[in-house]
Amino acid sequence: LHLFSFLDRNSRKSLAKTCHKLLEVFQDPLLWSLLNFHSPAELKKDNFLLGPALKYLSICWYSERVKVCNIEDWMKNNLQKDFCNRHENTVTDFLLEVCNRCPNLLSLTLSGCGHVTDDCILLLLMNCPNLKTLKLENCVRITDQTLEAVTLHGRSLQTLHVDFCRNITHSGLERVREKCPSVMLRAERSANMIPDNKPEKKLILEKASGKLVWL
């Protein structure tokens, strides 16, 4: 186990193929208390195990392609939609597996996961009652509903980051501060960014602005 701990996931998988004894080590839950992923594609590889031993999970996608996922759905062209369709549910499906198989999770970090929704975070908070740290960065579908879920189900939460999440509001943040004063809350830029507005909402605002000017 000590030797395996120095190897990345691919190397562990390769070494496990050499003999039955090493395969047993690869399958030992103690080896899989921490998992770091750097793209959705890595979540589909069969080079790791999910189980109750998992304590620390990080999925951080810093690729330029993240910008495509961050575009509002109604503004994407066909090429952008096709790109997103290939992996849209990848992270969400993986996190649902975590909900079902990793009840002892202590820390979760998601960065650049533009398709993760409030419902997914709600399920995580409900199924991972020991979660102490939740860090969300540049997750555009995260809204005040996640903050509300924290106040209702984040009973073990000690640290909450919602950085560069443009659909978070000041009122949502204030509610967390009011209901969960012991939580260390950080929201860099989030409530000061321009939130998503569907086209019909924008049109109404433009009309209202025009009437105001005319008056």
Side-chain angles (χ1 to χ4, degrees):
L1 279 172
H2 182 64
L3 292 174
F4 265 79
S5 68
F6 290 98
L7 304 177
D8 60 29
R9 294 189 303 277
N10 286 333
S11 298
R12 290 177 181 181
K13 185 67 175 180
S14 297
L15 185 58
K17 293 179 179 179
T18 60
C19 74
H20 293 296
K21 293 282 187 181
L22 292 177
L23 178 59
E24 290 178 6
V25 178
F26 177 83
Q27 294 173 340
D28 193 314
L30 293 176
L31 192 63
W32 304 103
S33 62
L34 183 151
L35 284 172
N36 293 316
F37 299 96
H38 303 289
S39 77
E42 293 183 9
L43 302 176
K44 295 184 176 181
K45 294 183 178 180
D46 185 27
N47 59 2
F48 61 89
L49 293 180
L50 282 181
L54 182 63
K55 300 291 181 63
Y56 306 94
L57 173 62
S58 172
I59 306 173
C60 296
W61 195 21
Y62 296 115
S63 168
E64 284 294 313
R65 296 181 177 183
V66 172
K67 294 180 179 179
V68 176
C69 300
N70 286 348
I71 300 172
E72 294 95 323
D73 290 339
W74 55 87
M75 294 181 64
K76 291 176 183 174
N77 58 39
N78 290 334
L79 182 63
Q80 292 166 334
K81 289 179 181 178
D82 180 62
F83 170 76
C84 286
N85 286 338
R86 298 175 197 171
H87 68 269
E88 182 171 3
N89 297 318
T90 300
V91 178
T92 297
D93 291 345
F94 179 82
L95 291 176
L96 292 179
E97 284 293 311
V98 172
C99 287
N100 294 327
R101 300 164 64 179
C102 309
N104 300 313
L105 190 68
L106 296 178
S107 175
L108 173 64
T109 299
L110 300 177
S111 180
C113 300
H115 298 294
V116 172
T117 64
D118 296 313
D119 290 340
C120 185
I121 301 300
L122 170 61
L123 287 175
L124 269 163
L125 289 168
M126 295 176 65
N127 288 278
C128 302
N130 300 319
L131 192 68
K132 297 182 183 300
T133 300
L134 177 60
K135 297 182 179 180
L136 306 173
E137 178 187 48
N138 199 16
C139 296
V140 297
R141 294 195 182 187
I142 296 301
T143 71
D144 286 356
Q145 291 183 36
T146 286
L147 300 182
E148 183 66 19
V150 165
T151 66
L152 296 174
H153 305 288
R155 52 186 175 274
S156 298
L157 209 62
Q158 298 175 356
T159 300
L160 174 64
H161 292 180
V162 282
D163 299 332
F164 298 92
C165 297
R166 65 176 182 244
N167 290 304
I168 293 291
T169 69
H170 284 291
S171 60
L173 295 172
E174 286 303 317
R175 182 167 177 78
V176 173
R177 293 189 178 100
E178 176 188 348
K179 296 291 184 180
C180 309
S182 62
V183 173
M184 294 179 61
L185 177 62
R186 190 181 80 181
E188 186 175 349
R189 295 286 300 276
S190 290
N192 296 320
M193 300 176 75
I194 300 175
D196 295 345
N197 287 299
K198 290 187 177 181
E200 56 266 24
K201 290 184 179 180
K202 291 182 179 179
L203 183 61
I204 292 172
L205 289 174
E206 288 174 0
K207 287 182 177 178
S209 176
K211 289 179 180 178
L212 185 61
V213 172
W214 184 78
L215 290 172

